[in-house]
Amino acid sequence: MASNDPAWLLENGGNIKGSSKEFRHGRTAHNMSSSSLRKKSDLTLVSKVPYGMLRALLTNLQEVLLGTKLSVLFPAIPLAIAAHLYGFGKPWVFGLSLLGLIPLAERVSFLTEQIAYFTGPTVGGLLNATCGNATELIIAIFALYEHKIAVVKYSLLGSILSNLLLVLGTSLLVGGLANLQHKQKYDRVCNTKM
């Protein structure tokens, strides 16, 4: 494998900026992403801002907040807060909070992919694992504050079991179904072109 190949550089912590011109200018971290929920934001309004620093900040904010098809669910967050403040039933607050968390979870995934694109797979994998378990961490903090040790234990057990059984099992099942005619291989380095 060539030493200026972007996949090799990412795997071995190399400098992508010094790689081929096509890779630097033809692809970005956003269009290399594999999620079908991602969309490219329309930057026509932001491009009219006269100040470069402010324009860059607004461009990044627009990409982070509106760069997903799930951004239509963001209004559920203030609606959940309003439902709690105005005394709506707990099912309404729960449902609106759940709807508001869906785009937030997708955006956390997007942001960790962006950071991994520039830091390499090791730091990116560590960051992805840390942010992916943020819900368990938040539950654990609040439950420990309320002295509910059993809730912490069951939350962590549920997380471990769901990752081992559900995620790994589904991955193996779908991988096996996709490779019915071939022997399924598990490769440490992904050699596919994006």
Side-chain angles (χ1 to χ4, degrees):
M1 187 175 290
S3 62
N4 64 351
D5 182 32
W8 184 88
L9 285 170
L10 282 175
E11 182 66 29
N12 294 300
N15 184 5
I16 294 176
K17 293 176 183 164
S19 64
S20 69
K21 189 174 184 179
E22 171 196 317
F23 181 73
R24 285 183 302 186
H25 300 291
R27 291 181 166 182
T28 64
H30 185 275
N31 66 13
M32 288 183 64
S33 176
S34 60
S35 177
S36 63
L37 296 173
R38 310 255 164 80
K39 67 177 184 175
K40 199 70 171 154
S41 298
D42 184 20
L43 300 175
T44 53
L45 283 177
V46 176
S47 64
K48 295 178 182 178
V49 174
Y51 304 108
M53 294 276 287
L54 181 61
R55 184 173 51 244
L57 176 69
L58 291 175
T59 301
N60 288 331
L61 280 175
Q62 181 177 352
E63 187 65 35
V64 168
L65 295 177
L66 301 176
T68 178
K69 296 175 184 174
L70 296 173
S71 62
V72 296
L73 296 177
F74 275 127
I77 298 168
L79 288 175
I81 294 170
H84 176 70
L85 292 176
Y86 287 110
F88 280 58
K90 289 184 180 181
W92 280 101
V93 176
F94 177 78
L96 289 170
S97 299
L98 182 66
L99 283 177
L101 282 175
I102 293 171
L104 289 176
E106 195 276 332
R107 292 286 84 189
V108 166
S109 170
F110 169 73
L111 291 173
T112 55
E113 284 180 13
Q114 296 301 299
I115 294 171
Y117 178 74
F118 292 104
T119 61
T122 306
V123 174
L126 179 64
L127 189 63
N128 197 4
T130 304
C131 293
N133 293 321
T135 53
E136 285 85 6
L137 183 63
I138 294 168
I139 290 171
I141 290 170
F142 282 109
L144 286 174
Y145 181 75
E146 297 287 327
H147 303 292
K148 296 182 178 180
I149 306 296
V151 173
V152 176
K153 288 180 183 177
Y154 297 137
S155 172
L156 294 175
L157 178 66
S159 173
I160 292 168
L161 289 177
S162 69
N163 281 327
L164 284 177
L165 298 176
L166 182 67
V167 176
L168 179 63
T170 304
S171 300
L172 293 174
L173 175 69
V174 172
L177 291 175
N179 293 304
L180 282 175
Q181 305 299 324
H182 310 297
K183 183 177 180 182
Q184 189 172 356
K185 296 178 183 176
Y186 300 97
D187 198 0
R188 181 175 166 262
V189 179
C190 180
N191 292 326
T192 59
K193 299 262 182 190
M194 304 234 182

